[in-house]
Amino acid sequence: MNLEKVKKEVAKYLNKDCHYIYIGSRNQIEEFDGRIVDLYQSIFVIETNKGIKKTFCYSDFATNNLKILT
């Protein structure tokens, strides 16, 4: 999947409440609820329901390290 397709796919979830699963380094799994609040050239920002802002790059989504569940 090329970068433009990934950006369009992520943009579909802008300002929508979703459940996220992030598989980080050493297979640490983090699950949280929130919404994508900002889209930038290289990253996007998710604000969790607890008010914490997390940033991810589009490659996290493209490589399935970040899964978005509605």
Side-chain angles (χ1 to χ4, degrees):
M1 192 181 291
N2 71 25
L3 184 59
E4 290 306 314
K5 287 183 182 179
V6 172
K7 287 181 179 184
K8 287 179 184 177
E9 186 67 26
V10 170
K12 291 180 185 178
Y13 299 103
L14 184 64
N15 293 319
K16 293 183 180 176
D17 290 324
C18 295
H19 183 77
Y20 300 89
I21 300 172
Y22 177 67
I23 302 169
S25 61
R26 299 182 185 164
N27 289 327
Q28 294 178 343
I29 298 173
E30 182 180 0
E31 293 189 41
F32 54 93
D33 294 314
R35 62 177 49 200
I36 297 173
V37 292
D38 286 314
L39 300 172
Y40 296 102
Q41 184 68 26
S42 302
I43 62 168
F44 56 96
V45 180
I46 298 173
E47 184 172 350
T48 68
N49 288 349
K50 295 180 181 180
I52 300 168
K53 291 189 177 180
K54 298 178 176 277
T55 59
F56 296 94
C57 59
Y58 294 101
S59 64
D60 290 329
F61 181 76
T63 59
N64 286 326
N65 287 340
L66 178 68
K67 297 179 183 180
I68 303 173
L69 308 171
T70 54

Coordinates of all heavy atoms in Angstrom, one line a residue:
M1 N 0.9 -1.2 0.0 CA 0.0 0.0 0.0 C 0.9 1.2 0.0 O 1.8 1.3 0.8 CB -0.9 0.0 1.3 CG -2.0 1.0 1.2 SD -3.0 1.0 2.7 CE -3.9 -0.6 2.6
N2 N 0.6 2.2 -0.9 CA 1.5 3.4 -0.9 C 1.0 4.4 0.1 O 0.0 4.3 0.7 CB 1.6 4.0 -2.3 CG 0.3 4.6 -2.8 OD1 -0.5 5.1 -1.9 ND2 0.1 4.7 -4.1
L3 N 1.9 5.4 0.3 CA 1.7 6.3 1.4 C 0.4 7.1 1.3 O -0.3 7.3 2.2 CB 2.9 7.3 1.5 CG 2.8 8.3 2.7 CD1 2.7 7.5 4.0 CD2 4.1 9.1 2.6
E4 N 0.0 7.5 0.1 CA -1.2 8.3 -0.2 C -2.4 7.5 0.2 O -3.4 8.0 0.8 CB -1.2 8.8 -1.6 CG -0.2 9.9 -1.9 CD -0.3 11.0 -0.9 OE1 -1.4 11.5 -0.6 OE2 0.8 11.5 -0.4
K5 N -2.4 6.2 -0.2 CA -3.6 5.3 0.2 C -3.7 5.2 1.7 O -4.8 5.2 2.2 CB -3.4 4.0 -0.5 CG -3.7 4.0 -2.0 CD -3.6 2.6 -2.5 CE -3.8 2.6 -4.0 NZ -3.7 1.2 -4.6
V6 N -2.5 5.0 2.4 CA -2.5 4.9 3.8 C -3.1 6.2 4.5 O -3.9 6.1 5.4 CB -1.1 4.6 4.3 CG1 -1.1 4.7 5.9 CG2 -0.6 3.3 3.8
K7 N -2.7 7.3 4.0 CA -3.2 8.6 4.5 C -4.7 8.8 4.3 O -5.4 9.2 5.2 CB -2.4 9.8 3.9 CG -1.0 10.0 4.4 CD -0.4 11.2 3.7 CE 1.0 11.4 4.2 NZ 1.6 12.6 3.6
K8 N -5.2 8.3 3.2 CA -6.6 8.4 2.9 C -7.4 7.5 3.8 O -8.5 7.8 4.3 CB -6.9 8.1 1.5 CG -6.5 9.2 0.5 CD -6.8 8.9 -0.9 CE -6.3 10.0 -1.9 NZ -6.6 9.6 -3.3
E9 N -6.8 6.3 4.1 CA -7.5 5.3 4.9 C -7.5 5.8 6.4 O -8.6 5.7 7.0 CB -6.8 4.0 4.9 CG -7.4 2.9 5.6 CD -8.8 2.5 5.0 OE1 -9.0 2.6 3.8 OE2 -9.6 1.9 5.8
V10 N -6.4 6.4 6.9 CA -6.4 6.9 8.2 C -7.4 8.1 8.3 O -8.1 8.3 9.3 CB -5.0 7.3 8.6 CG1 -5.0 8.1 9.9 CG2 -4.1 6.1 8.7
A11 N -7.4 9.0 7.3 CA -8.3 10.1 7.3 C -9.8 9.8 7.5 O -10.6 10.6 8.0 CB -8.1 11.0 6.1
K12 N -10.2 8.6 7.1 CA -11.5 8.1 7.2 C -12.0 8.1 8.7 O -13.2 8.2 9.0 CB -11.7 6.7 6.6 CG -11.6 6.7 5.1 CD -11.8 5.3 4.6 CE -11.6 5.1 3.2 NZ -11.8 3.7 2.7
Y13 N -11.0 7.9 9.6 CA -11.3 7.8 11.0 C -11.2 9.1 11.8 O -11.3 9.1 13.0 CB -10.4 6.7 11.6 CG -10.6 5.4 11.0 CD1 -9.7 4.9 10.1 CD2 -11.7 4.6 11.3 CE1 -9.8 3.6 9.5 CE2 -11.9 3.3 10.8 CZ -10.9 2.9 9.9 OH -11.1 1.6 9.3
L14 N -10.9 10.2 11.1 CA -10.7 11.5 11.7 C -12.0 11.9 12.5 O -13.1 11.8 12.0 CB -10.4 12.6 10.7 CG -10.1 14.0 11.2 CD1 -8.8 14.0 12.0 CD2 -10.0 14.9 10.0
N15 N -11.8 12.2 13.8 CA -12.9 12.6 14.7 C -13.9 11.6 15.0 O -15.1 11.9 15.3 CB -13.5 13.9 14.3 CG -12.5 15.1 14.3 OD1 -11.8 15.2 15.3 ND2 -12.5 15.9 13.3
K16 N -13.6 10.3 14.8 CA -14.5 9.2 15.1 C -14.0 8.4 16.2 O -12.8 8.1 16.3 CB -14.7 8.3 13.9 CG -15.4 8.9 12.7 CD -15.6 8.0 11.6 CE -16.2 8.7 10.4 NZ -16.4 7.8 9.2
D17 N -14.9 8.1 17.2 CA -14.5 7.2 18.3 C -14.2 5.8 17.8 O -15.0 5.2 17.2 CB -15.6 7.2 19.4 CG -15.7 8.6 20.1 OD1 -14.7 9.2 20.3 OD2 -16.9 8.9 20.4
C18 N -13.0 5.3 18.2 CA -12.6 4.0 17.8 C -11.8 3.3 18.9 O -11.4 4.0 19.9 CB -11.7 4.1 16.5 SG -12.5 4.7 15.1
H19 N -11.6 2.1 18.7 CA -10.7 1.3 19.6 C -9.4 1.0 18.9 O -9.4 0.6 17.7 CB -11.4 0.0 20.0 CG -10.6 -0.8 21.0 ND1 -10.6 -0.5 22.3 CD2 -9.9 -1.9 20.8 CE1 -9.8 -1.4 23.0 NE2 -9.4 -2.3 22.1
Y20 N -8.3 1.2 19.6 CA -7.0 1.0 18.9 C -6.2 0.0 19.6 O -6.2 -0.2 20.9 CB -6.2 2.4 19.0 CG -6.9 3.5 18.3 CD1 -7.8 4.3 19.0 CD2 -6.7 3.8 17.0 CE1 -8.4 5.3 18.4 CE2 -7.3 4.8 16.3 CZ -8.2 5.6 17.0 OH -8.9 6.6 16.4
I21 N -5.5 -0.8 18.8 CA -4.5 -1.8 19.4 C -3.2 -1.5 18.8 O -3.0 -1.5 17.5 CB -4.9 -3.2 19.0 CG1 -6.3 -3.5 19.6 CG2 -3.9 -4.2 19.5 CD1 -6.9 -4.9 19.1
Y22 N -2.2 -1.2 19.6 CA -0.8 -0.9 19.1 C 0.1 -2.0 19.6 O 0.2 -2.3 20.8 CB -0.4 0.5 19.7 CG 1.0 0.8 19.3 CD1 1.3 1.1 17.9 CD2 2.0 0.9 20.2 CE1 2.6 1.4 17.5 CE2 3.3 1.2 19.8 CZ 3.6 1.5 18.5 OH 4.9 1.8 18.1
I23 N 0.9 -2.5 18.7 CA 1.9 -3.5 19.0 C 3.2 -2.8 18.9 O 3.7 -2.5 17.8 CB 1.8 -4.7 18.0 CG1 0.4 -5.3 18.1 CG2 2.9 -5.7 18.3 CD1 0.1 -6.3 17.0
G24 N 3.8 -2.6 20.0 CA 5.0 -1.8 20.1 C 6.3 -2.7 20.1 O 6.2 -3.9 19.7
S25 N 7.4 -2.1 20.5 CA 8.6 -2.9 20.5 C 8.5 -4.0 21.5 O 7.8 -3.9 22.5 CB 9.8 -1.9 20.9 OG 9.6 -1.4 22.1
R26 N 9.2 -5.1 21.2 CA 9.2 -6.3 22.0 C 7.8 -6.9 22.2 O 7.5 -7.4 23.3 CB 9.9 -6.0 23.4 CG 11.3 -5.6 23.2 CD 12.0 -5.4 24.6 NE 13.3 -4.9 24.3 CZ 14.0 -4.3 25.3 NH1 13.6 -4.2 26.5 NH2 15.2 -3.9 25.0
N27 N 7.0 -6.7 21.2 CA 5.6 -7.2 21.2 C 4.8 -6.7 22.4 O 3.9 -7.5 22.8 CB 5.6 -8.7 21.1 CG 6.1 -9.2 19.7 OD1 5.8 -8.5 18.7 ND2 6.8 -10.3 19.7
Q28 N 5.0 -5.6 22.9 CA 4.2 -5.0 24.0 C 2.9 -4.5 23.3 O 3.0 -3.8 22.3 CB 4.9 -3.9 24.7 CG 6.1 -4.3 25.5 CD 6.8 -3.2 26.1 OE1 6.6 -2.0 25.8 NE2 7.7 -3.5 27.1
I29 N 1.8 -4.9 23.8 CA 0.5 -4.6 23.2 C -0.2 -3.6 24.1 O -0.3 -3.8 25.4 CB -0.4 -5.8 23.1 CG1 0.3 -6.8 22.1 CG2 -1.8 -5.5 22.6 CD1 -0.4 -8.1 22.0
E30 N -0.7 -2.5 23.5 CA -1.4 -1.5 24.2 C -2.7 -1.3 23.5 O -2.8 -1.1 22.3 CB -0.6 -0.2 24.2 CG -1.2 1.0 24.9 CD -0.4 2.2 24.9 OE1 0.7 2.3 24.2 OE2 -0.8 3.2 25.4
E31 N -3.8 -1.3 24.3 CA -5.2 -1.1 23.8 C -5.7 0.2 24.5 O -5.6 0.4 25.7 CB -6.1 -2.3 24.1 CG -5.7 -3.5 23.3 CD -6.7 -4.6 23.5 OE1 -7.9 -4.3 23.4 OE2 -6.3 -5.8 23.6
F32 N -6.4 1.0 23.6 CA -7.0 2.2 24.2 C -8.2 2.6 23.3 O -8.2 2.3 22.1 CB -6.0 3.3 24.4 CG -5.2 3.6 23.2 CD1 -5.6 4.6 22.3 CD2 -4.0 2.9 22.9 CE1 -4.9 4.9 21.2 CE2 -3.3 3.2 21.7 CZ -3.7 4.2 20.9
D33 N -9.0 3.5 23.8 CA -10.1 4.1 23.0 C -9.8 5.5 22.9 O -9.2 6.2 23.8 CB -11.5 3.9 23.8 CG -11.9 2.4 23.9 OD1 -11.8 1.8 22.8 OD2 -12.3 2.0 25.0
G34 N -10.2 6.1 21.8 CA -10.0 7.5 21.5 C -10.4 7.9 20.1 O -11.2 7.2 19.5
R35 N -9.9 9.0 19.6 CA -10.2 9.5 18.3 C -9.0 10.2 17.7 O -8.2 10.8 18.4 CB -11.4 10.4 18.3 CG -11.2 11.7 19.1 CD -12.4 12.6 19.1 NE -13.6 12.0 19.4 CZ -14.8 12.4 19.0 NH1 -14.9 13.6 18.5 NH2 -15.9 11.7 19.3
I36 N -8.9 10.1 16.4 CA -7.8 10.8 15.7 C -8.2 12.3 15.6 O -9.3 12.6 15.1 CB -7.6 10.3 14.3 CG1 -7.1 8.8 14.4 CG2 -6.6 11.1 13.5 CD1 -7.1 8.1 13.0
V37 N -7.4 13.2 16.1 CA -7.7 14.6 16.2 C -7.0 15.5 15.2 O -7.4 16.6 14.9 CB -7.6 15.1 17.6 CG1 -8.6 14.5 18.6 CG2 -6.2 14.9 18.2
D38 N -5.8 15.0 14.8 CA -5.0 15.8 13.9 C -4.2 14.9 12.9 O -3.8 13.9 13.3 CB -3.9 16.7 14.6 CG -4.5 17.9 15.3 OD1 -5.3 18.6 14.7 OD2 -4.1 18.1 16.5
L39 N -4.2 15.4 11.6 CA -3.4 14.7 10.6 C -2.3 15.6 10.1 O -2.6 16.8 9.8 CB -4.3 14.3 9.4 CG -5.5 13.4 9.7 CD1 -6.4 13.3 8.5 CD2 -5.0 12.0 10.1
Y40 N -1.1 15.1 10.1 CA 0.0 15.9 9.6 C 0.7 15.2 8.4 O 0.3 14.1 8.1 CB 1.1 16.2 10.7 CG 0.5 17.0 11.8 CD1 0.1 16.4 13.0 CD2 0.3 18.4 11.7 CE1 -0.5 17.2 14.0 CE2 -0.2 19.2 12.7 CZ -0.6 18.6 13.9 OH -1.1 19.3 14.9
Q41 N 1.7 15.8 7.9 CA 2.4 15.2 6.7 C 3.0 13.8 7.0 O 2.9 12.9 6.2 CB 3.6 16.1 6.3 CG 4.3 15.7 5.0 CD 3.4 15.7 3.8 OE1 2.5 16.5 3.7 NE2 3.7 14.9 2.8
S42 N 3.6 13.6 8.2 CA 4.3 12.4 8.5 C 3.7 11.6 9.6 O 4.0 10.4 9.8 CB 5.8 12.7 8.9 OG 6.4 13.3 7.8
I43 N 2.8 12.3 10.5 CA 2.3 11.6 11.6 C 0.8 12.0 11.8 O 0.3 12.9 11.1 CB 3.0 12.0 12.9 CG1 2.9 13.5 13.2 CG2 4.4 11.6 12.9 CD1 3.3 14.0 14.5
F44 N 0.1 11.3 12.7 CA -1.2 11.7 13.1 C -1.3 11.5 14.6 O -0.6 10.8 15.2 CB -2.3 10.9 12.3 CG -2.2 9.4 12.5 CD1 -2.9 8.7 13.5 CD2 -1.4 8.6 11.7 CE1 -2.9 7.3 13.6 CE2 -1.3 7.3 11.8 CZ -2.1 6.6 12.7
V45 N -2.3 12.3 15.2 CA -2.4 12.4 16.6 C -3.7 11.7 17.0 O -4.8 12.1 16.5 CB -2.4 13.8 17.1 CG1 -2.5 13.9 18.6 CG2 -1.1 14.5 16.6
I46 N -3.7 10.9 18.0 CA -4.8 10.3 18.6 C -5.0 10.8 20.1 O -4.0 10.7 20.8 CB -4.8 8.7 18.6 CG1 -4.7 8.2 17.2 CG2 -5.9 8.1 19.4 CD1 -4.4 6.7 17.1
E47 N -6.1 11.3 20.4 CA -6.4 11.7 21.8 C -7.2 10.6 22.4 O -8.3 10.2 21.9 CB -7.1 13.0 21.9 CG -7.3 13.5 23.3 CD -7.9 14.9 23.4 OE1 -7.9 15.6 22.4 OE2 -8.2 15.2 24.5
T48 N -6.7 10.0 23.5 CA -7.4 8.9 24.2 C -8.6 9.4 25.0 O -8.7 10.7 25.2 CB -6.5 8.1 25.1 OG1 -6.1 8.9 26.2 CG2 -5.3 7.6 24.4
N49 N -9.5 8.6 25.4 CA -10.6 9.0 26.2 C -10.2 9.5 27.6 O -11.0 10.2 28.2 CB -11.6 7.8 26.4 CG -12.4 7.5 25.1 OD1 -12.3 8.2 24.1 ND2 -13.0 6.4 25.1
K50 N -9.0 9.2 28.0 CA -8.4 9.7 29.2 C -7.7 11.1 29.0 O -7.1 11.6 29.9 CB -7.4 8.7 29.8 CG -8.1 7.4 30.2 CD -7.1 6.5 30.8 CE -7.9 5.2 31.2 NZ -6.9 4.2 31.7
G51 N -7.7 11.6 27.8 CA -7.1 12.9 27.5 C -5.7 12.9 27.2 O -5.1 14.0 27.0
I52 N -5.1 11.7 27.0 CA -3.7 11.6 26.6 C -3.5 11.6 25.1 O -4.3 11.0 24.4 CB -3.1 10.3 27.2 CG1 -3.2 10.3 28.7 CG2 -1.6 10.1 26.8 CD1 -2.9 8.9 29.3
K53 N -2.6 12.4 24.6 CA -2.4 12.5 23.2 C -1.2 11.6 22.8 O -0.2 11.6 23.4 CB -2.1 13.9 22.7 CG -3.3 14.8 22.8 CD -3.1 16.1 22.2 CE -4.4 16.9 22.3 NZ -4.3 18.3 21.7
K54 N -1.4 10.8 21.8 CA -0.4 9.9 21.3 C -0.2 10.1 19.8 O -1.1 10.4 19.1 CB -0.8 8.4 21.5 CG -1.1 8.0 22.9 CD -1.5 6.6 23.1 CE -1.7 6.2 24.5 NZ -0.4 5.7 25.0
T55 N 1.1 10.1 19.4 CA 1.4 10.3 18.0 C 1.8 9.0 17.3 O 2.5 8.2 18.0 CB 2.4 11.4 17.8 OG1 3.6 11.0 18.4 CG2 2.0 12.7 18.3
F56 N 1.4 8.8 16.1 CA 1.8 7.6 15.3 C 2.2 8.0 13.9 O 1.7 9.0 13.4 CB 0.7 6.6 15.3 CG 0.3 6.1 16.6 CD1 -0.7 6.7 17.4 CD2 1.0 5.0 17.2 CE1 -1.1 6.2 18.6 CE2 0.6 4.5 18.4 CZ -0.4 5.1 19.1
C57 N 3.1 7.3 13.3 CA 3.4 7.6 11.9 C 2.5 6.6 11.0 O 2.0 5.6 11.5 CB 4.9 7.4 11.6 SG 5.5 5.8 12.0
Y58 N 2.4 7.0 9.8 CA 1.5 6.3 8.9 C 2.0 4.9 8.7 O 1.3 3.9 8.4 CB 1.3 7.0 7.6 CG 0.6 8.3 7.8 CD1 1.2 9.5 7.8 CD2 -0.8 8.3 7.9 CE1 0.5 10.7 8.0 CE2 -1.5 9.5 8.1 CZ -0.8 10.7 8.1 OH -1.5 11.9 8.3
S59 N 3.3 4.7 8.8 CA 3.9 3.3 8.6 C 3.4 2.4 9.7 O 3.4 1.2 9.5 CB 5.4 3.4 8.5 OG 6.0 3.8 9.7
D60 N 3.1 2.9 10.9 CA 2.6 2.1 12.0 C 1.3 1.4 11.5 O 1.0 0.2 11.8 CB 2.3 2.9 13.3 CG 3.6 3.3 13.9 OD1 4.6 2.5 13.9 OD2 3.6 4.3 14.6
F61 N 0.5 2.2 10.8 CA -0.8 1.7 10.3 C -0.6 0.7 9.1 O -1.2 -0.3 9.1 CB -1.7 2.8 10.0 CG -3.1 2.4 9.4 CD1 -4.1 2.0 10.3 CD2 -3.4 2.4 8.1 CE1 -5.3 1.6 9.8 CE2 -4.6 2.1 7.6 CZ -5.6 1.6 8.5
A62 N 0.3 1.1 8.2 CA 0.5 0.3 7.0 C 1.1 -1.1 7.4 O 0.9 -2.0 6.7 CB 1.5 1.1 6.1
T63 N 1.9 -1.2 8.4 CA 2.6 -2.4 8.8 C 1.7 -3.2 9.8 O 2.2 -4.2 10.4 CB 4.0 -2.2 9.3 OG1 3.9 -1.3 10.5 CG2 4.9 -1.6 8.3
N64 N 0.5 -2.7 10.1 CA -0.4 -3.4 11.1 C 0.2 -3.4 12.5 O -0.2 -4.2 13.3 CB -0.7 -4.8 10.7 CG -1.7 -4.9 9.5 OD1 -2.5 -4.0 9.4 ND2 -1.5 -5.8 8.7
N65 N 1.1 -2.5 12.8 CA 1.5 -2.3 14.2 C 0.4 -1.5 15.0 O 0.3 -1.6 16.2 CB 2.8 -1.5 14.3 CG 4.0 -2.4 13.9 OD1 3.9 -3.6 13.9 ND2 5.1 -1.8 13.6
L66 N -0.4 -0.7 14.3 CA -1.5 0.0 14.8 C -2.8 -0.5 14.1 O -2.9 -0.4 12.9 CB -1.4 1.5 14.7 CG -2.6 2.3 15.2 CD1 -2.6 2.2 16.7 CD2 -2.5 3.8 14.8
K67 N -3.7 -1.0 14.9 CA -5.0 -1.5 14.3 C -6.1 -0.6 14.8 O -6.1 -0.3 16.0 CB -5.2 -2.9 14.7 CG -4.2 -3.9 14.1 CD -4.4 -5.3 14.5 CE -3.3 -6.2 14.0 NZ -3.5 -7.5 14.3
I68 N -7.0 -0.2 13.9 CA -8.1 0.7 14.2 C -9.4 -0.1 14.1 O -9.7 -0.7 13.0 CB -8.1 1.9 13.3 CG1 -6.8 2.7 13.4 CG2 -9.3 2.8 13.7 CD1 -6.7 3.8 12.4
L69 N -10.1 -0.3 15.2 CA -11.3 -1.0 15.2 C -12.5 -0.1 15.5 O -12.4 0.8 16.4 CB -11.3 -2.1 16.3 CG -10.1 -3.0 16.2 CD1 -10.0 -3.9 17.5 CD2 -10.1 -3.8 15.0
T70 N -13.6 -0.2 14.8 CA -14.7 0.7 15.0 C -15.7 0.0 15.8 O -15.7 -1.1 16.1 CB -15.3 1.1 13.6 OG1 -15.6 0.0 12.9 CG2 -14.4 2.0 12.9

